[in-house]
Amino acid sequence: MIQILDEILLDPKQIPTVLALLDERYMPQTAARGLTLLQRWVSPPVAIPGEHNRLWLLWQVPDVWGYYGMRISAGTEVLEFWGFVDKVCEHRARHVLGSADQPLPSLEVQEDVA
C-alpha cells in the first residue's frame, strides 16, 4: 500500500470551506481513481487567534502503479479543488509514503541512444 499525506497550512476559518469542497467536489470521484481517504486531522485541534492550522489528509492507493494511475485519471474536479486550496492556504505539501520494510520498486528509464 502507498499512503499519501497531504499537509495544508491555512487559516482556521478556511478549514470548513476546504472540507466542504473536498466532500462535495473531490470525494465523489476518488473511488473510481483507486484513491481512499483514510483520515482527516487538524493540528493543533484548536483555533488560536493569529495562528494557522495544519489540515492533514491521509489517502491510500494499492501500490506505486495505483499512485500514478490515480494521478493520470485526475479530472477537472481535482484541478479545481487544489486550485482553490492553493488560493486560500499559506503552504501545501504532499508526502508519498511506502513501507520502509518493503523493497523499493525500480522505475526503469529508457534512454534514447542516437
Side-chain angles (χ1 to χ4, degrees):
M1 289 290 175
I2 300 294
Q3 310 294 321
I4 303 159
L5 184 60
D6 288 317
E7 174 188 4
I8 307 164
L9 182 66
L10 67 165
D11 186 295
K13 293 176 186 166
Q14 293 293 339
I15 293 172
T17 305
V18 169
L19 291 177
L21 189 61
L22 175 74
D23 290 340
E24 295 164 12
R25 299 293 317 258
Y26 195 90
M27 290 302 297
Q29 304 302 321
T30 57
R33 296 175 48 223
L35 184 62
T36 303
L37 180 62
L38 299 177
Q39 191 60 263
R40 312 183 316 181
W41 298 286
V42 66
S43 173
V46 61
I48 301 170
E51 296 292 325
H52 289 88
N53 290 76
R54 288 188 197 285
L55 177 63
W56 301 88
L57 304 174
L58 179 62
W59 306 90
Q60 181 174 284
V61 293
D63 52 32
V64 70
W65 308 115
Y67 173 75
Y68 289 107
M70 173 269 305
R71 291 182 54 92
I72 290 169
S73 64
T76 57
E77 75 284 351
V78 173
L79 298 174
E80 290 171 1
F81 174 75
W82 290 115
F84 175 80
V85 169
D86 286 340
K87 287 179 185 171
V88 299
C89 79
E90 190 71 26
H91 172 76
R92 163 170 87 88
R94 172 164 276 185
H95 310 278
V96 181
L97 311 163
S99 171
D101 297 325
Q102 298 292 323
L104 296 175
S106 177
L107 297 177
E108 297 294 325
V109 177
Q110 302 246 340
E111 293 184 31
D112 254 353
V113 180

